[in-house]
Amino acid sequence: MPDNDKLKIAVYTCYCGGNISDVVDCEKVAKAMGSQPDVVVSRTDMSLCSDAGQSQIEQDIRELGVNRVVIGSCAPTLHEVTFRNALIRAGLNPYLYQHVGLREQDSWVHSNDHAGATRKAMHLMKAGIAKARLLHPLEPIRLQAEKQALVIGGGVAGLRAALDIAQQGLRVVLVEKSPFVGGRMAQLEAVFPTHENARDLLRGLIKKVVNHPGIKIYTQAEVMGVAGYVGNYCAQVIQHSRGVTEENAEALLSACQQEVPDEFNYGLTRRKTIYRPYPGCYPPLPAVDWDNYQGEPISLNGGEPIVLEDVPTSVDVNVGAIVVATGFDPYEPRQGEYGYGELKEVVTLPQLIRHLALSKANHALEWNGHPVRDVAFIHCVGSREIEGVDEPHEDGRINNYCSRVCCTATLHTTEELRQHFPGLNIYDLYQDIRTYGRGHEDYYRDALLGGVRFVRYHGEEHPQVTAASAGDTHPVLIRVKDSLTYNEELEIPVDLVVLAVGMQPRQIDKLVNMLKVSRGTDRFLLEVHPKLRPVETAVNGVVLAGTAQGPMNIQESLSAASAAAAKVVALLGRGRVELQPFVAAVDAEKCNGTGACVEICEYEGAIAVQTFTENGKEVKRAVVTPANCSGCGACVAVCPNHAINVQGWTLSQYEAMVDAIASDIPNMAEVA
Amino acid sequence: MSRVDPTFLHEIKEYGAVGIEQCFNCGNCTAICPLASDDYPFPRNVIRRIQIGQRDVLRTQLDPWLCYYCGECSATCPKGAEPGETMMAARRWMTARYDWTGLSHKLYTSTTWAIGALIVGALIVLGLAWLLHGPLVTDQVQLNTFAPVEMIHLGDLILAGILSFFLLSGLFRMFVFHFREGGKWKLPPLSVFVTEAWQLVYHTLTQQRFSKCEGRRRWISHLILVFGYGSMFVLIVLFLTWFQTDNIYPIYHPQRWVGYLAALAIIYGASDALLSRIQKKHEMHHYSQLSDWLFPILLILLAVSGLLISAFRYMGLPLATYYIYVAHLVVMMMLYICIGPMGKWAHLLYRPFAVYFQVVKEKAREQSNVTAGALSSAD
Ligand SMILES: Cc1cc2nc3c(=O)[nH]c(=O)nc-3n(C[C@H](O)[C@H](O)[C@H](O)COP(=O)(O)OP(=O)(O)OC[C@H]3O[C@@H](n4cnc5c(N)ncnc54)[C@H](O)[C@@H]3O)c2cc1C
Ligand code: SF4
Ligand code: SF4
């Protein structure tokens, strides 16, 4: 649309089915806007987003030669795209459209001041019209997209996402930090709500992933750097050596003498520094634990001692999108928290699960060689902490969130215990029972029926776990104020205390900085919008899968993983990506390359000063790489020459809006 | 501070409680209960004490006695935890705690013991009758020759004495459990016990709290039963010489209609309870223990055999009268066993006293509040 064409603006004030019109006098607004300069038509509608409403817009464009459209309606997140599409259908550039939020910004917040709301609507609409006059046609940024995705983290969520993406014909690079895939799920036994064995379930999934020709797995690998933008990321992946080969693996494994605590069993057992975490793991080849192997020579069959060496290799992978599936760590209680680390009878739930797996054959539950007659579970350890009550963690934060999985996991474990050890007395110290999933409440019901004694404490007053005095019947004594027993203090003598620890995100600071994704106050990775865009991050092309985003059970982790995969496939499936054109644009005539914009810019590769030769002279000028620019406008604010603007939101457009809002409206008197 | 004890729950189950485990302590039962109050928040508090194993706490409580088992709680409970039945079991357990002989525990928790005790009772009566009966006059009914009234009366009094001794010692223990805490007496002033004594009589006679429960009909039927039984008891223990006589009084004479009325009252009340138990019509009758069945049955047998004695006598059937008389005594003995250590009807005694203690404590607190109020307003 050439600029010198005569402006013909169409203005619509939507009733939003009463949401707006119950408060704002839409007819008066429409009438007042009708007399604004350049406005050729001003209408109201019951709901413009309806088919009829949209056809009206298209008809006006075609029949009246309208070349700018201003609509006052709901929030732009809801229907801006809807109305832009109406413009496209009528043959108009979609960026000649201006959206005005009359609902969220006006009628909903001023519901008890009808006249005031109507005046405000007029000002807002007038500002919209003022901006519309200065709109220019824009084109979306179209980029070639790499039809390959990077999945970071080979837990159940990462595996599922990788498989879903690959099954849609895209290639996947899966990067797993540890030597084996499967993540935390491999450390579980029978899992709720189906009682299937976790590793059996995983094995099926891993088999499909491994056999898929489109998936390349890197274990003992980490992403060291990411450059580029949606559709065209380049990730540097560093992979450590396995340290063993098919040929020497078994011999090295048996010859290796050095032992360290086995993290697979949460330190309950020890393993060698060349190891397989469990039989049937993938990859089946043992690996060297380079963090702990300090170059000790190993003699094979009495031969020359050999020293294993880690020779990391680096690969660059080009991917269009990135799935972050780095998972969780169980909360590690502080020294002395509920006696943890001080009393040997205090363990965490993940530890107990491993302990049970290791001692399945036994007929009686034993701990430290002593029979366990009474056991107590304490819920919410490291979760639902209260500001001012609970001591902050090292980084000053408190875990005030609910870890969601631990209630059902705890009750599920009590069921396992009851089945294997019928004589056991089980106490359950909880704050609330949050067995929210389908079938999960059954665990609570069955625990009650099975004689588990529930004791309810308040988060403000934690149970006290202490060593019992000598000669007592049990080694440990719990004192707890039980709100079910009228806040009386109870004494529970037990042989074992199990802490139902919550979930925390893994240590992934480097990755977070690299990807510039945001984290919530709980430090889990944050989605753009919890309801409307639950697996996407604010960074285009970076999506989240599984417990990296927050506490989830396996089912939820997989739902999230499949959703993330769907997003990736939708983004990259066509081989190109389209981005909004609201990015910085440099006015070549005004720019003299001071570089203030480059300094302020937070987005890597978004802007740079380049040197050009023009008419034999060297000139410096800022150049924007649109795909990397977020359109935040920081550069606009610092440019001394006003040489840079965000397209679609230029300074002059803002000025026009401010002027319009501040000025009077001719027919205003009629309203007040 | 009290120590949890997971075994208590199992112990109470021996006394007939079902489903205590299922209770998740929502408190609906207490909210719906027409008799519970802030100080006596049963049935949930009783259930909780059991779940957590606070024997010593439950032992001191009056709560189980303040419940008349209207069954509202069981009908309301979302978990099917049968709180009403737990209250019933708690009463049995309390009775066994009050009983220092340990017999009551055995009789409640073992069917063998319960039936054994009844058989022993019956054998004793039969044996005594065989040993001590007088000549069997067969040409006319001479009951007082066959069973001299003085002898029977003496036996009655001895039995009543034994029974009273057990019950009163139980009552004494109830008193001690309730008013002694941690080795110290926590007694309201004696004066309040005296001034409120009328409440004891009133509640014994009217069972007035029962009427607060839904179902006035049950209260009336219960009341009729209590009256029938009470008057029969008084007749037999205190006025036997007047009651058991070979003189035939005219039908309008109180000696005759008082007896008939009492018998009919018992038959009505007991059959009502029995029928409800058979049909499981009412919440409280969903679960029945041996003693629950025996009780109405024995009562009916007692009344019926009593009526038969009278009938056979007027019909002039000497042997039939004598045999049915012995049978009547056997039934009576069995009932004594039930009332005594087996204790189902020990509640006749404990319940009014529990209400009495409750009232006394409330009154005493009111008084001390008034004093405290007077003191503070004097400031
Ligand atoms: C005690 C307990 C019991 C549970 N029981 C059940 C149950 O019975 N049923 C159920 O449904 N759920 C259960 N859960 C939850 C279940 O464990 C999780 O939902 C599931 O494991 C989450 O999988 P994930 O892939 O998101 O994370 P993870 O399993 O943690 O996988 C993350 C993977 O990413 C890798 N990784 C981390 N950082 C990096 C990095 N920087 N680069 C590369 N790779 C990286 C890790 O090595 C790991 O392999 C339980 C949880 C706990 C704590
Ligand atoms: S799931 Fe249960 S145990 Fe875990 S934090 Fe939430 S309330 Fe506590
Ligand atoms: S007995 Fe039933 S109603 Fe009463 S607290 Fe327990 S679950 Fe709730």
Side-chain angles (χ1 to χ4, degrees), chain A residues 155-157 176-177 184 191-192 326-328 506 547 552-554:
Chain A
V156 67
E176 166 58 48
K177 193 173 177 182
R184 296 279 173 210
V191 283
F192 68 77
T326 48
F328 75 98
R506 293 199 195 232
T547 50
M552 297 180 192
N553 60 35
I554 295 167

Side-chain angles (χ1 to χ4, degrees), chain A residues 482-505:
Chain A
D482 177 20
S483 67
L484 301 181
T485 314
Y486 310 94
N487 280 323
E488 288 172 25
E489 192 164 44
L490 302 180
E491 243 180 36
I492 309 176
V494 289
D495 304 295
L496 185 65
V497 178
V498 184
L499 308 180
V501 292
M503 286 184 168
Q504 308 198 121

Side-chain angles (χ1 to χ4, degrees), chain B residues 22-29 44 47 73 76-79 81 83:
Chain B
Q22 296 186 49
C23 164
F24 63 173
N25 287 280
C26 65
N28 278 319
C29 47
R44 191 185 77 77
I47 294 169
C73 53
T76 309
C77 172
K79 297 291 277 184

Side-chain angles (χ1 to χ4, degrees), chain A residues 602-647:
Chain A
E602 290 217 14
Y603 294 84
E604 201 149 315
I607 194 162
V609 175
Q610 289 178 7
T611 317
F612 301 86
T613 327
E614 258 170 28
N615 311 328
K617 270 203 289 182
E618 288 225 323
V619 288
K620 280 184 165 181
R621 206 176 285 146
V623 177
V624 176
T625 308
N628 286 346
C629 171
S630 73
C632 71
C635 49
V636 181
V638 296
C639 179
N641 305 327
H642 299 305
I644 196 161
N645 256 307
V646 172
Q647 299 191 87

Side-chain angles (χ1 to χ4, degrees), chain A residues 379-381 383-384 401-408 410 431-434 500 502:
Chain A
H379 285 235
C380 305
V381 178
S383 308
R384 300 181 64 188
Y401 54 89
C402 164
S403 291
R404 300 174 82 247
V405 173
C406 15
C407 270
T408 311
T410 300
Q431 299 192 58
D432 296 289
I433 296 292
R434 297 188 169 173

Side-chain angles (χ1 to χ4, degrees), chain A residues 425 427 444 448-449 453-455 472-473 477 479 482 484-486 488-491 493, chain B residues 1-4 6 9-10 21-25 41 44-45 48-49 51-52 54 79:
Chain A
N425 289 314
Y427 299 93
Y444 180 36
L448 283 164
L449 267 177
R453 304 301 157 85
F454 287 86
V455 172
D472 204 336
T473 51
L477 200 61
R479 290 196 181 81
D482 177 20
L484 301 181
T485 314
Y486 310 94
E488 288 172 25
E489 192 164 44
L490 302 180
E491 243 180 36
Chain B
M1 170 84 66
S2 63
R3 192 166 265 225
V4 298
L9 196 152
H10 303 293
E21 304 94 326
Q22 296 186 49
C23 164
F24 63 173
N25 287 280
R44 191 185 77 77
N45 79 331
R48 188 59 187 160
R49 307 293 171 190
Q51 282 182 330
I52 220 69
Q54 293 179 317
K79 297 291 277 184

